[in-house]
Amino acid sequence: MNNHRTPVVIPNAEHPISRDQINASALKVLNGLKAAGYASFLVGGCVRDLMLGREPKDFDVVTDAHPEEVRELFRNSRLIGRRFQLVHVRFGREIIEVATFRAAPVEAGENSAQQLSDEGRILRDNVFGNQEEDALRRDFTVNALYFDATDFSIVDYVDGVEDLKQGVLRVIGDPEQRYREDPVRLLRAVRFAAKLGFRLSEDAERPIHDVASQLDEVPPARRFEELLKLFHGGSAVETFELLRHYRLFQYIFPLTEISLTREQDGFPLALIPRALANTDNRINNDKPVTPAFLLAVMLWYPMKQKAEQMIADGMSWHEASQFAGQWVIQQQSKATSVPRRFSTPMREIWNLQSRLERRAGKRAFRLLEHPRFRAAYDFLVLRADIGEVEQELADWWTEFQEVGESEQRSMVSKLSGGGKKKGRRRRRKADD
Ligand code: ATP
Ligand code: MG
């Protein structure tokens, strides 16, 4: 970055951010750095969100102090080194992340601190720089705004404030090159567009198709992290639509993409948006969500299709569903990691689906005690919504949870007495 830019500086009086909107712990860190004579800024998502009148998820601080210097300044801090060195300052349960200004990637030699792979991907990224360089290495203009703790102004090297006003997501620098350096930026583009209701600039859109396949080079663990941000950010419905629109969904859920494109009975495309709408609702009402449920939704049809194939090949239903469960996890793990703490409950949700149909005797009462009952019931309700199972079955379980014990007993006894048809009824047959 040879030619120096002068940033646009928006004084305190001319932007909407006031100090009382800033997290108290973040303010302590900012003031601590300032008192020690270092530059101290808020940066990234928190500045963007505050400018938009949204509540930031977290407050990131950036400074010209080196990590060891930051570490020495705050008793309650520690150095952490993932892709680059950062300092975490802890205040009770809260952690404020402090980064040092870093530079954008340059042509790197063998021994430099910055390394690029053959495809231009950044492998290591630990070069300190000045504020301008720090701004230019960020992904989108709206993510590169700084809030200055000394005079409470906004510092903007990339016309990010204008893009915020226009609702445009614009890549800093050459979009294709920036996507190739880190293909996860493709997913981030979709994530921010969906969450903020922004559109991608034409330049940001154009290279997506050509670079997309580079996502296969991103390690599954990092893709899983991004998956959670994509679908547990409160805008999962829009995110799903945009991921499919830009043909990026297949790099996170390859088997699901296949079941969507080969869709014969309409179920996958009905289930997923409904489930995601539920997830968004829960998140926006501060209710807990679990990746196990998301995975159960996304991988349900791939699992079922595999199981049906195994059954056609002569395997028993029970064996086939266990085999298919394992196979799906194994396949998915090539794209995103599937931690066991999520895959185990996911499979329980699946296994409980057929058990929810068998309610006679003590079975229904036992199921109610199952640790995964609630998630399995929620999943059943979704399947009933789209006509994959009888609505009566879902309604029965809804009622069963609401009534007292004696009524529960009578509900169960009515089941065995009546000529109620068991088994699943489908709106349309899968093989037609
Ligand atoms: P969120 O509200 O989802 O946390 P965010 O903008 O804070 O959004 P983070 O992933 O927390 O996103 O990253 C913080 C900042 O770091 C971003 O705003 C951006 O400036 C920079 N950044 C993060 N990831 C990348 C990346 N892959 N490439 C370039 N810059 C990045
Ligand atoms: Mg953030």
Side-chain angles (χ1 to χ4, degrees):
M1 304 302 134
N2 300 325
N3 29 358
H4 231 55
R5 305 191 192 195
T6 319
V8 174
V9 177
I10 305 174
N12 188 22
E14 290 167 33
H15 66 72
I17 305 181
S18 69
R19 249 169 306 165
D20 54 19
Q21 292 171 293
I22 297 168
N23 172 285
S25 307
L27 269 180
K28 280 184 204 158
V29 173
L30 289 169
N31 291 332
L33 289 164
K34 193 167 79 171
Y38 295 114
S40 71
F41 297 88
L42 290 175
V43 68
C46 63
V47 181
R48 175 198 69 213
D49 289 347
L50 287 173
M51 289 288 281
L52 291 170
R54 302 171 65 104
E55 196 188 329
K57 224 173 54 189
D58 38 40
F59 287 80
D60 294 328
V61 171
V62 71
T63 179
D64 59 358
H66 281 201
E68 308 79 46
E69 296 171 320
V70 178
R71 166 71 198 86
E72 276 167 30
L73 217 50
F74 300 99
R75 253 186 314 114
N76 45 342
S77 68
R78 63 193 190 95
L79 276 168
I80 62 150
R82 284 178 307 206
R83 273 174 71 232
F84 31 76
Q85 264 197 334
L86 299 165
V87 179
H88 276 177
V89 189
R90 182 182 282 278
F91 298 91
R93 287 170 57 226
E94 210 162 40
I95 290 176
I96 302 297
E97 200 166 278
V98 185
T100 304
F101 289 142
R102 271 178 299 125
V106 284
E107 285 298 317
E110 275 285 295
N111 300 318
S112 104
Q114 218 163 33
Q115 289 182 4
L116 279 83
S117 74
D118 292 344
E119 298 84 26
R121 231 164 9 107
I122 302 175
L123 300 177
R124 213 136 59 81
D125 187 11
N126 226 344
V127 182
F128 298 129
N130 59 30
Q131 186 179 21
E132 180 187 358
E133 290 168 322
D134 188 81
L136 298 183
R137 71 160 182 93
R138 291 175 184 275
D139 46 8
F140 304 100
T141 61
V142 297
N143 284 350
L145 300 174
Y146 298 82
F147 175 85
D148 191 334
T150 51
D151 62 2
F152 315 116
S153 63
I154 298 290
V155 181
D156 178 6
Y157 285 90
V158 291
D159 289 335
V161 172
E162 186 54 31
D163 287 335
L164 266 186
K165 281 186 195 149
Q166 303 291 328
V168 177
L169 216 56
R170 193 184 308 282
V171 178
I172 298 171
D174 175 61
E176 175 158 358
Q177 186 193 334
R178 300 302 312 283
Y179 289 147
R180 285 191 190 280
E181 280 169 11
D182 180 6
V184 168
R185 288 172 185 151
L186 296 166
L187 302 176
R188 291 174 59 84
V190 165
R191 176 154 72 86
F192 295 125
K195 168 173 147 171
L196 305 173
F198 279 25
R199 62 179 175 84
L200 302 193
S201 74
E202 267 173 49
D203 285 355
E205 236 174 9
R206 203 176 306 113
I208 291 179
H209 182 72
D210 285 344
V211 184
S213 67
Q214 291 301 314
L215 276 166
D216 273 333
E217 307 301 321
V218 175
R222 184 144 183 250
R223 275 192 267 174
F224 182 71
E225 262 176 53
E226 199 56 33
L227 174 164
L228 294 183
K229 291 185 189 170
L230 283 162
F231 292 105
H232 283 172
S235 310
V237 174
E238 295 84 348
T239 301
F240 173 66
E241 280 167 12
L242 278 183
L243 282 175
R244 293 212 78 221
H245 173 77
Y246 289 117
R247 299 185 191 288
L248 296 173
F249 184 68
Q250 58 196 302
Y251 298 100
I252 313 172
F253 285 114
L255 291 177
T256 316
E257 174 66 26
I258 292 170
S259 71
L260 285 165
T261 48
R262 286 203 199 140
E263 187 169 54
Q264 291 160 321
D265 53 18
F267 287 146
L269 207 46
L271 181 84
I272 292 171
R274 248 173 215 271
L276 296 179
N278 278 3
T279 303
D280 286 344
N281 244 317
R282 293 183 67 89
I283 286 173
N284 297 321
N285 289 299
D286 292 322
K287 289 190 196 164
V289 291
T290 166
F293 193 83
L294 177 71
L295 291 169
V297 166
M298 291 296 191
L299 301 176
W300 172 242
Y301 294 101
M303 185 280 289
K304 279 200 9 172
Q305 281 159 6
K306 186 69 181 176
E308 277 161 21
Q309 193 187 321
M310 304 314 293
I311 291 167
D313 289 350
M315 218 182 244
S316 75
W317 178 86
H318 181 76
E319 251 187 314
S321 55
Q322 295 314 306
F323 178 92
Q326 234 143 41
W327 179 84
V328 161
I329 292 168
Q330 194 193 344
Q331 295 299 307
Q332 177 65 26
S333 303
K334 295 176 190 169
T336 74
S337 46
V338 185
R340 206 174 286 275
R341 66 183 186 282
F342 304 133
S343 65
T344 303
M346 170 189 79
R347 295 189 64 179
E348 284 175 336
I349 292 170
W350 288 347
N351 290 336
L352 285 171
Q353 294 309 302
S354 61
R355 288 181 58 191
L356 286 166
E357 293 178 20
R358 301 193 299 270
R359 292 157 285 168
K362 295 233 176 329
R363 281 175 168 160
F365 292 97
R366 273 206 298 268
L367 274 178
L368 218 45
E369 302 302 317
H370 194 286
R372 222 59 67 190
F373 169 80
R374 187 67 205 191
Y377 161 77
D378 287 343
F379 195 73
L380 181 78
V381 168
L382 280 173
R383 293 173 61 219
D385 278 349
I386 63 164
E388 197 188 77
V389 288
E390 285 182 45
Q391 186 61 48
E392 289 89 334
L393 180 63
D395 292 345
W396 191 92
W397 278 108
T398 306
E399 197 185 334
F400 193 70
Q401 293 172 78
E402 286 164 357
V403 299
E405 210 184 311
S406 68
E407 277 173 87
Q408 285 179 327
R409 263 194 274 276
S410 100
M411 283 178 76
V412 170
S413 65
K414 269 186 217 147
L415 276 178
S416 37
K420 205 165 185 280
K421 205 180 105 196
K422 283 193 181 174
R424 278 172 292 183
R425 180 179 58 84
R426 294 190 167 190
R427 210 185 256 163
R428 274 175 287 164
K429 276 221 175 115
D431 312 321
D432 279 353

